[in-house]
């Protein structure tokens, strides 16, 4: 019997990949995007990009499709903005994809507000500004200075690796050749006898599986 190490809720067929910012942001995300393609070799990766980085995105051989989004900077609000009408238009445009996952690679969090517009039930991004709407988040910052403590390309790749662990965690069986099964005899288990260990939780009775033992 082989246990399934994936705890992800269902298959991943269609993925919205948000890089709705500048050319340099996409360039620094290339290793993370390549890793994402390795993790999801058969998934339909749809890149949500801006006109500033669409040409580079086309050359990467990572995305199955590209959706160009106008999401400009507003110098007054000091934020990227999209009108309510454009939001409704984007929702209708993305609905046919039926995304399983949406990933926002922007560390700043400026485009995280677009994640709900994709319709994806599972969203990944960076935990910037106390966000609580992500199913899986990543962060790497200096708690004293508040600056990013990792290079941009490495920090972005945290999301890809986190998804990989979610799909197939690194837990493995570690065989101990330095101990003998004779240690089990005092517990009533013969050296050649098969057995199974069930760990029901021993710290507090209230967190144990009820009635399971």
């Amino acid at each position: 019997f082989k246990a399934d190490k994936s705890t992800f809720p269902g298959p991943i067929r269609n993925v919205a990949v948000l890089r709705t910012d500048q050319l340099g942001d996409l360039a620094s995300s290339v290793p993370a995007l390549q890793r994402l393609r390795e993790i999801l070799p058969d998934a339909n990766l749809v890149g949500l990009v801006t006109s500033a980085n669409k040409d580079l995105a086309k050359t990467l051989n990572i995305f199955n499709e590209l959706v160009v989004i106008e999401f400009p900077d507003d110098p007054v609000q000091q934020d990227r903005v999209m009108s309510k009408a454009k939001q409704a238009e984007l929702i209708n445009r993305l609905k046919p994809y039926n995304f399983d996952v949406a990933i926002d690679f922007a560390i700043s969090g400026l485009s995280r507000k677009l994640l709900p517009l994709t319709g994806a039930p599972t969203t990944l991004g960076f935990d910037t500004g106390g966000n609580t709407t992500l199913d899986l988040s990543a962060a790497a910052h200096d708690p004293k200075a508040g600056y990013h403590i990792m290079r941009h390309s490495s920090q972005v790749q945290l999301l890809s690796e986190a998804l990989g662990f979610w799909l197939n965690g690194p837990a493995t069986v570690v065989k101990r050749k330095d101990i003998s099964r004779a240690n089990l005899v005092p517990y009533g288990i013969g050296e050649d006898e098969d057995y199974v260990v069930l760990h029901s939780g021993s710290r507090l009775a209230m967190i144990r599986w009820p009635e399971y033992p």
Side-chain angles (χ1 to χ4, degrees), residues 4-5 22 24 48 62 73 76 82 91 99 121 141 170 173 176:
D4 184 0
K5 294 185 289 182
Q22 301 302 316
L48 276 57
I62 291 173
D73 280 308
V76 176
M82 181 182 293
I91 290 174
F99 288 120
H141 67 277
V173 175
R176 296 289 304 276

Side-chain angles (χ1 to χ4, degrees), residues 132-206:
T132 58
T133 61
L134 300 171
D135 295 285
L136 192 153
S137 64
H141 67 277
D142 184 334
K144 293 184 178 180
Y147 298 113
H148 301 303
I149 204 167
M150 296 172 63
R151 66 171 61 94
H152 190 283
S153 58
S154 298
Q155 190 168 354
V156 170
Q157 193 164 336
L158 286 174
L159 287 181
S160 297
E161 297 297 346
L163 179 60
F165 287 139
W166 195 354
L167 291 172
N168 186 19
T172 58
V173 175
V174 179
K175 294 185 178 181
R176 296 289 304 276
K177 295 183 179 181
D178 58 319
I179 55 178
S180 170
R181 287 193 54 168
N183 294 332
L184 299 175
V185 174
Y187 300 97
I189 302 174
E191 293 189 41
D192 298 321
E193 186 177 359
D194 291 335
Y195 67 95
V196 174
V197 176
L198 300 177
H199 180 55
S200 61
S202 58
R203 183 166 57 91
L204 294 172
M206 63 182 180

Side-chain angles (χ1 to χ4, degrees), residues 1 5 10 66 74 76 94 100 137 157 164 182 199 201 211:
F1 177 77
K5 294 185 289 182
L66 291 176
D74 185 316
V76 176
L94 299 180
D100 301 297
S137 64
Q157 193 164 336
H199 180 55
E211 308 300 329

Side-chain angles (χ1 to χ4, degrees), residues 27-185:
S28 62
S29 301
V30 171
L33 294 170
Q34 291 175 328
R35 180 63 180 134
L36 181 64
R37 175 49 79 188
E38 291 176 359
I39 293 169
L40 301 171
D42 301 318
N44 180 40
L45 300 186
V46 180
L48 276 57
V49 299
T50 61
S51 56
N53 56 29
K54 66 173 182 175
D55 291 332
L56 174 59
K58 290 179 182 178
T59 69
L60 298 179
N61 296 320
I62 291 173
F63 300 108
N64 298 91
E65 301 180 55
L66 291 176
V67 175
V68 179
I69 296 175
E70 295 307 321
F71 193 45
D73 280 308
D74 185 316
V76 176
Q77 300 185 52
Q78 296 185 351
D79 200 353
R80 287 183 176 270
V81 298
M82 181 182 293
S83 69
K84 187 174 181 180
K86 289 291 185 181
Q87 292 180 46
E89 179 182 315
L90 182 60
I91 290 174
N92 291 329
R93 189 178 178 188
L94 299 180
K95 189 174 182 179
Y97 288 101
N98 194 26
F99 288 120
D100 301 297
V101 176
I103 306 175
D104 180 14
F105 280 110
I107 295 176
S108 67
L110 294 179
S111 54
R112 196 171 55 226
K113 65 193 77 172
L114 298 179
L115 286 174
L117 307 185
T118 67
T122 301
T123 57
L124 288 72
F126 287 92
D127 187 8
T128 308
N131 175 68
T132 58
T133 61
L134 300 171
D135 295 285
L136 192 153
S137 64
H141 67 277
D142 184 334
K144 293 184 178 180
Y147 298 113
H148 301 303
I149 204 167
M150 296 172 63
R151 66 171 61 94
H152 190 283
S153 58
S154 298
Q155 190 168 354
V156 170
Q157 193 164 336
L158 286 174
L159 287 181
S160 297
E161 297 297 346
L163 179 60
F165 287 139
W166 195 354
L167 291 172
N168 186 19
T172 58
V173 175
V174 179
K175 294 185 178 181
R176 296 289 304 276
K177 295 183 179 181
D178 58 319
I179 55 178
S180 170
R181 287 193 54 168
N183 294 332
L184 299 175
V185 174

